[in-house]
Amino acid sequence: MSSETADSAGTTEKRGAKAARIRELMATEGDAVAENTRGFNAGRYESTGRLDDYEELKAEAREIKEDAIARLPELIEEVKTSVEANGGTVYVADDADDANRYIREVAAECEVERAIKSKSMTSEEIEVNEALAADGVDVVETDLGEWVLQIADEAPSHIVAPAIHKSREGIAELFNERFEPDEPLETAEELTHFAREELGKLVEDAELGMTGANFIAADSGTMLLVTSEGNARKTVAATDTHVAVAGVEKLVPSVEDFAPFAELIGRSGTGQDVTSYLSVLTPPVNSPVPDFGDGDAPLRDTDSDDRAFHLVLIDNGRLAMREDAELTETLYCIRCSACANSCGNFQSVGGHAFGGETYSGGIATGWEAGVEGLDVAAEFNDLCTGCSRCVPACPVGIDIPWINTVVRDRVNRGEADRSQLDWVFEELVPDEEPAGLDVGARLVGNFATLAKWGSRTAPVANRVASFGPARAALERVTGIDRRRELPSFSRESFVDWFERRGGARVPPERATREAIVYPDTATNYANVGRGKATVRALEALDVHVRVPALPDAGRAPLSQGMITTAEEAAHDVYAALAEEIDAGRDVVVIEPSDLALFRREYERFLADAAHERLSGASYDVMEYVYGLLENGGEPEALRGPSGFDAERGVAYHPHCQGRTIGVGEYSTAVLERLDYDVLVSETECCGMAGSFGYKADYYELSMDVGEPLVEQFGGTGRTVVAAGTSCGEQLDALLGSSVRHPVELIAPR
């Protein structure tokens, strides 16, 4: 067997194993994860909707974190001084081994037999439980979810709710088997009461209490602890030695800086207006250690000095992340889990698939890349599809999809070894990526070139793409799942059609506006009908329209982490459109993912002035139609519902990236203005996410993410519309019905 064949077989086997693992998690944990994360996400919308100053609070929180990370070395020195002045000790650990060595020394010096812990992701990161257990210390988690997982010997599946993947029935079975109670435990109340009693007994004999810290004020050593059960307070109060373990990024300048985070963290994570317990303490706390054997002993004493406090600040890659221009935003993370709760893929599989050694959800890629390394991040990085729904959810505005894209690019370059197929790409699709890039990624990343050739050779290309043996070979080599229907290319492109029709029908002198319709790759070579409808709709509203040949926007390569290729595309697009913008022409975009590039990602590729000009001059087609109607355009010039359409109504799924940039609602507004009855989907992302749903590793996951759309739209008989190409493909597969772009409903025939 040749090395190339062996590599291909190994890749196929790896894909199969990943797909099997995802199927297993969807079957065993998916329902519980979906119910809880979707509940948290809905709660976030409700809770933050009650805040008049939500965006201002987010901006303030981000500003505090930006300042704190910029001043981090200074804050570390400041907190050392303040904690030591309070009577405590600060130790800055280089890595996990260093931190555990120090904590073990503290435990040995205090002759600790039992340590109790409140929930702490940082302690999970350094695996302190295992380190202490090796010295014979009995470590007990006091957070209910963490205790359940400790008994089950499982890893957390969620940053905030570690046992989110466990059902009540599963926990009852675990407790009954492990503890053999006199009466079987069944209800949530019975389980909670039992856990409280069992943990209470264990707490009484503990000598050391360990907590994390959500935030630490450098100027005073004061800590903010956010919990849902109050167990952090018990952990601190019940023991005479308190060890707080926290990443150095948890430092903020002062207690006053806690305020926006206290407002945001609960709302963002679980949809609670205020988290059940917000504990602000300046350790070592000034109260006696309770004597559980003496019921008459006082629990209040303002003059106690029998407590010790150790703050262990963890570096473990964080200071290097601070110097990394692309990963530094990861350190702004406040561990709220909003990115996980808003993510369609996470909702289906949870953190046991969408996560690394410690962290889970979209932000996990940044954490795992910085703390564990690229190889760990690479294992789950593909589960971020770039849908961008986590961006507005994040209370500190971290661009999580960009971090995932950067890591993907680094993985590509780190793993790139020249293959026998490289010469094909270098000759036919000369992108800017290194030799050896994964064949599937390179194929998808160069979709614009493939689409151009597919159009030129249609209908032959379409027949080959639907030929069973050809699809089987494509799946084996590139990982493109044979169950997906590939795009059908048009022999005549959108640009060619416009030229053949004779160009614009509305002359400039009679026009209310002049617009360039951007011929995105999907519209130009496959979905030409929506391009034609766009031209007809705009001309009906007296717009002078042009459809010039323009470069591809670069969404496909960006989705594969091919950043250099995407950046070159951004410069090419801007160069091609700059003169049009200078002439006062608007840029109308049909594909939401391309408009999202112009408004969001191009900010990283273009000079500020260039990005502002392109972003400011670019509009979603339905946004543009809405603006025309608001400024005197005649609704009667467009097509409203009639006959069968009027009876059926419309089921509309906004594109995920369109929602993020704030244009998703314009389709609803225009359709309703024309008297369509519109049912809008409640689903953040359909699950197709561009190329993601085509991959054999993720086909079942993609379909599972889209299942809520079937539940909402299936059987309604409504005309299904979606703005995004991939959304249309997914809805077609899920519902078995032809899906139309909103502009196709309103354009005159």
Side-chain angles (χ1 to χ4, degrees):
M1 180 185 293
S2 69
S3 61
E4 188 74 22
T5 303
D7 288 346
S8 177
T11 300
T12 302
E13 183 178 350
K14 187 176 180 181
R15 288 180 187 137
K18 181 181 288 188
R21 173 62 173 158
I22 287 172
R23 283 195 298 270
E24 177 191 1
L25 289 171
M26 286 193 296
T28 57
E29 302 179 0
D31 288 346
V33 172
E35 180 180 358
N36 287 298
T37 51
R38 289 170 187 164
F40 290 159
N41 200 43
R44 173 177 60 84
Y45 279 119
E46 293 175 8
S47 182
T48 58
R50 291 191 286 270
L51 283 176
D52 293 333
D53 57 348
Y54 177 48
E55 294 301 328
E56 289 80 2
L57 280 170
K58 288 167 63 177
E60 182 184 358
R62 181 179 175 88
E63 185 177 342
I64 291 169
K65 289 296 290 186
E66 283 181 339
D67 172 64
I69 298 306
R71 296 168 49 197
L72 194 51
E74 169 193 334
L75 296 183
I76 292 172
E77 293 305 313
E78 186 175 5
V79 81
K80 285 181 182 178
T81 301
S82 59
V83 169
E84 288 168 3
N86 295 337
T89 304
V90 176
Y91 184 76
V92 181
D94 292 333
D95 53 28
D97 289 342
D98 190 19
N100 286 332
R101 179 192 56 76
Y102 180 83
I103 296 167
R104 291 169 69 180
E105 288 177 358
V106 170
E109 183 179 335
C110 298
E111 299 180 345
V112 173
E113 295 183 5
R114 176 174 294 150
I116 54 174
K117 289 178 67 233
S118 69
K119 184 180 178 302
S120 163
M121 290 305 297
T122 309
S123 70
E124 292 277 354
E125 176 188 322
I126 65 173
E127 298 181 340
V128 69
N129 290 20
E130 291 80 358
L132 288 172
D135 290 343
V137 177
D138 177 28
V139 183
V140 178
E141 297 284 355
T142 62
D143 174 86
L144 178 57
E146 290 283 4
W147 190 56
V148 167
L149 296 185
Q150 188 175 32
I151 294 168
D153 193 23
E154 293 181 14
S157 178
H158 190 271
I159 289 176
V160 170
I164 197 172
H165 59 289
K166 289 286 191 182
S167 66
R168 176 183 56 78
E169 293 81 5
I171 296 172
E173 182 180 351
L174 175 68
F175 280 14
N176 289 326
E177 181 179 326
R178 173 66 179 271
F179 298 105
E180 299 181 349
D182 294 336
E183 295 292 333
L185 304 170
E186 295 180 356
T187 68
E189 183 179 2
E190 289 171 347
L191 292 167
T192 304
H193 180 77
F194 177 82
R196 182 177 62 193
E197 293 297 317
E198 289 295 313
L199 284 170
K201 300 171 189 175
L202 296 171
V203 166
E204 291 182 8
D205 296 329
E207 299 94 357
L208 184 146
M210 188 177 299
T211 69
N214 293 89
F215 304 94
I216 306 169
D219 66 346
S220 63
T222 302
M223 299 165 48
L224 175 65
L225 292 167
V226 181
T227 64
S228 58
E229 300 164 17
N231 50 304
R233 297 178 185 179
K234 184 179 291 187
T235 299
V236 172
T239 57
D240 57 11
T241 302
H242 174 196
V243 176
V245 178
V248 291
E249 82 284 357
K250 298 297 184 71
L251 292 170
V252 295
S254 68
V255 171
E256 287 77 14
D257 295 317
F258 292 170
F261 301 108
E263 289 276 13
L264 290 168
I265 193 167
R267 288 182 164 92
S268 301
T270 57
Q272 296 170 280
D273 287 357
V274 179
T275 307
S276 301
Y277 294 89
L278 291 173
S279 303
V280 180
L281 62 149
T282 306
V285 294
N286 197 16
S287 65
V289 179
D291 183 352
F292 291 101
D294 183 357
D296 297 324
L299 293 179
R300 290 183 297 175
D301 187 335
T302 59
D303 198 26
S304 174
D305 59 357
D306 58 350
R307 292 184 176 277
F309 173 63
H310 300 263
L311 173 60
V312 182
L313 291 173
I314 312 291
D315 175 3
N316 206 29
R318 287 164 172 79
L319 293 179
M321 291 166 69
R322 176 178 173 269
E323 301 299 322
D324 186 321
E326 306 294 359
L327 291 185
T328 188
E329 274 198 34
T330 305
L331 299 176
Y332 301 171
C333 171
I334 64 172
R335 314 276 179 82
C336 69
S337 79
C339 58
N341 298 336
S342 62
C343 174
N345 283 344
F346 190 95
Q347 289 172 3
S348 283
V349 296
H352 289 155
F354 200 162
E357 295 291 333
T358 305
Y359 300 102
S360 59
I363 196 63
T365 288
W367 280 120
E368 296 291 339
V371 170
E372 298 290 346
L374 283 178
D375 55 337
V376 175
E379 290 296 316
F380 63 93
N381 173 255
D382 273 357
L383 285 168
C384 172
T385 64
C387 82
S388 76
R389 297 307 297 142
C390 56
V391 176
C394 177
V396 287
I398 302 173
D399 193 344
I400 295 168
W402 177 253
I403 292 173
N404 278 272
T405 301
V406 166
V407 170
R408 197 167 299 167
D409 181 69
R410 294 179 183 182
V411 170
N412 289 343
R413 294 177 183 280
E415 294 183 350
D417 295 317
R418 177 172 289 277
S419 75
Q420 295 178 15
L421 292 175
D422 279 331
W423 68 270
V424 177
F425 290 99
E426 289 166 2
E427 293 295 325
L428 299 180
V429 285
D431 56 41
E432 302 301 314
E433 306 307 313
L437 183 66
D438 176 78
V439 173
R442 192 160 228 153
L443 184 77
V444 172
N446 285 284
F447 178 70
T449 301
L450 298 178
K452 183 185 298 184
W453 282 103
S455 176
R456 289 176 179 175
T457 58
V460 174
N462 296 329
R463 286 200 295 269
V464 171
S466 62
F467 182 53
R471 290 302 306 276
L474 186 67
E475 180 179 297
R476 187 167 56 253
V477 174
T478 69
I480 303 298
D481 199 288
R482 72 185 79 182
R483 289 166 288 186
R484 282 290 185 190
E485 186 175 340
L486 295 177
S488 180
F489 298 112
S490 171
R491 187 68 181 90
E492 182 178 53
S493 72
F494 177 39
V495 171
D496 291 341
W497 167 83
F498 187 78
E499 182 178 353
R500 181 177 58 79
R501 87 193 285 255
R505 298 285 171 85
V506 177
E509 59 272 13
R510 187 168 64 82
T512 56
R513 306 283 299 183
E514 292 189 44
I516 299 297
V517 175
Y518 177 71
D520 64 88
T521 295
T523 300
N524 197 30
Y525 298 117
N527 301 327
V528 177
R530 68 184 188 180
K532 296 177 181 179
T534 296
V535 171
R536 294 199 306 273
L538 298 189
E539 289 182 338
L541 296 173
D542 297 324
V543 177
H544 174 70
V545 178
R546 292 180 56 240
V547 186
L550 293 169
D552 175 72
R555 173 59 67 188
L558 193 67
S559 74
Q560 305 306 304
M562 298 163 61
I563 292 179
T564 305
T565 301
E567 183 172 4
E568 179 159 311
H571 288 288
D572 290 345
V573 168
Y574 179 72
L577 286 173
E579 187 173 347
E580 307 286 358
I581 296 170
D582 286 342
R585 300 185 183 100
D586 305 313
V587 180
V588 176
V589 184
I590 302 170
E591 177 58 53
S593 62
D594 283 358
L595 181 64
L597 278 171
F598 295 175
R599 292 193 180 176
R600 273 181 33 80
E601 286 92 345
Y602 276 16
E603 184 177 11
R604 299 182 180 275
F605 299 146
L606 303 177
D608 290 345
H611 174 255
E612 288 175 11
R613 291 179 68 220
L614 178 57
S615 176
S618 302
Y619 303 88
D620 172 77
V621 58
M622 297 301 281
E623 175 189 22
Y624 196 68
V625 168
Y626 177 84
L628 293 170
L629 294 176
E630 286 291 292
N631 288 277
E634 295 292 337
E636 294 77 12
L638 301 174
R639 179 160 57 99
S642 61
F644 188 54
D645 281 344
E647 295 175 7
R648 295 172 64 186
V650 171
Y652 166 53
H653 175 64
H655 189 274
C656 50
Q657 291 162 340
R659 289 187 193 221
T660 298
I661 60 174
V663 300
E665 66 269 22
Y666 287 108
S667 290
T668 306
V670 171
L671 291 170
E672 289 181 341
R673 184 159 182 176
L674 297 179
D675 296 326
Y676 284 91
D677 174 33
V678 185
L679 172 65
V680 182
S681 85
E682 301 164 355
T683 302
E684 297 277 356
C685 179
C686 69
M688 186 68 179
S691 63
F692 180 82
Y694 281 107
K695 297 178 180 178
D697 316 26
Y698 306 124
Y699 172 79
E700 288 92 348
L701 173 57
S702 171
M703 297 297 280
D704 189 72
V705 172
E707 191 59 32
L709 285 165
V710 179
E711 296 171 6
Q712 187 179 6
F713 289 170
T716 64
R718 291 173 177 262
T719 299
V720 182
V721 296
T725 301
S726 58
C727 302
E729 292 170 346
Q730 177 78 320
L731 285 162
D732 189 2
L734 288 166
L735 301 172
S737 60
S738 180
V739 180
R740 303 162 73 182
H741 190 286
V743 77
E744 294 181 271
L745 267 63
I746 67 169
R749 290 189 175 89

